[in-house]
Amino acid sequence: MLATALARFPRLELQLSVTSLDLLPRLSAELGRTVYCKRDDTTSLALGGNKVRKLEYLVAEALAEGADTLVTAGAIQSNHVRQTAAVAAQQGLACVALLENPIATQDEDYLHGGNRLLLDLFGVEVRPVAALDDPHHQLQAEAQRLRQQGRTPKVIPVGGSNALGALGYVRTGLELADQLDALALQPAAVIVASGSAGTQAGLDLAFNERCPAVPVIGITVSRTVDEQLPKVAALRQQLAALLGLADPAIAPRLHDGYQGPRYGEPNPGTLAAIRRLARLEGLVLDPVYTGKAMAGLLDLVARDELPPGPLVFLHTGGTPGTFAYRHWFTS
């Protein structure tokens, strides 16, 4: 049913191959339970990451509308902005990005390295803002400024997380379900970083059809569960409506406690999780999303708060941003 519904929506085929589902043998042995990693850090565009999945739909819509400029927003080290900029370059579009400094740092690596360096390489017009406290209206105002210049902008929401963008993670959920079927594997849970909510909402809807006994558990990266739950629930409901489906009756599953001190700033548990996976598996996590999500997985396993059985960790990427955080790893 979902595959048929998805076929109605045009998309750019930017992610041309299936990302692997890899066993993490040394981590599994250390934890005493099997852990697999879905490698969306290895998607095919601009050093990888999950946002390309959403941009396949969002940029297809922009091109159909005759846009000549993509307008989006995020932190200085935003993975979403980096991949939006890369798609724009690939498709011959301009890209304008509103960037904030959410951790108020003057660290040179953060301000100029990592994802920020790549924006310059992709030719982005960067417009610094004091804060993205109302990103919807800020992006609309920027789009209006561009229209007054005679340009044809298309707003790409923060994180690519509206119902159309979240279709990308419905597709990914079906892809992952096929991989699990091929391995005859029913995991106890899928663990994912939960930020702008589109990734979790799309996976949840796909698994509700294909793997209804497998919970998708979001580890919040910037909010408490009370703040994040309505975001995920609302987007999942919008996504279901877009596809002509009923929204699942079960509320999205979330855990917090790993997101502090704020979005974009790692805590000791985040840094420890990044080091542990690097040294056990040669796997690079990032300090904003996947490091916090893995810290949650490790802690929930240690406290025996997850159902018994194998776990799947969705690696949503962020590798370039890791290089902007050298100070946090050396201080």
Side-chain angles (χ1 to χ4, degrees), residues 116-137:
R116 180 64 184 84
L117 171 62
L118 294 177
L119 298 189
D120 289 338
L121 295 180
F122 296 139
V124 176
E125 179 186 338
V126 170
R127 294 180 61 81
V129 296
L132 288 170
D133 46 13
D134 190 357
H136 172 76
H137 289 101

Side-chain angles (χ1 to χ4, degrees), residues 267-290:
N267 54 57
T270 305
L271 300 175
I274 292 171
R275 290 190 177 98
R276 187 172 180 181
L277 268 292
R279 293 169 186 178
L280 281 175
E281 299 288 355
L283 188 67
V284 180
L285 305 177
D286 82 291
V288 180
Y289 295 96
T290 54

Side-chain angles (χ1 to χ4, degrees), residues 77 103 109-110 264-266 287-288 321-329:
Q77 289 299 326
I103 57 175
D109 290 334
Y110 186 91
E265 186 169 352
V288 180
T322 303
F323 296 102
Y325 282 79
R326 181 173 60 93
H327 167 74
W328 279 265
F329 288 102

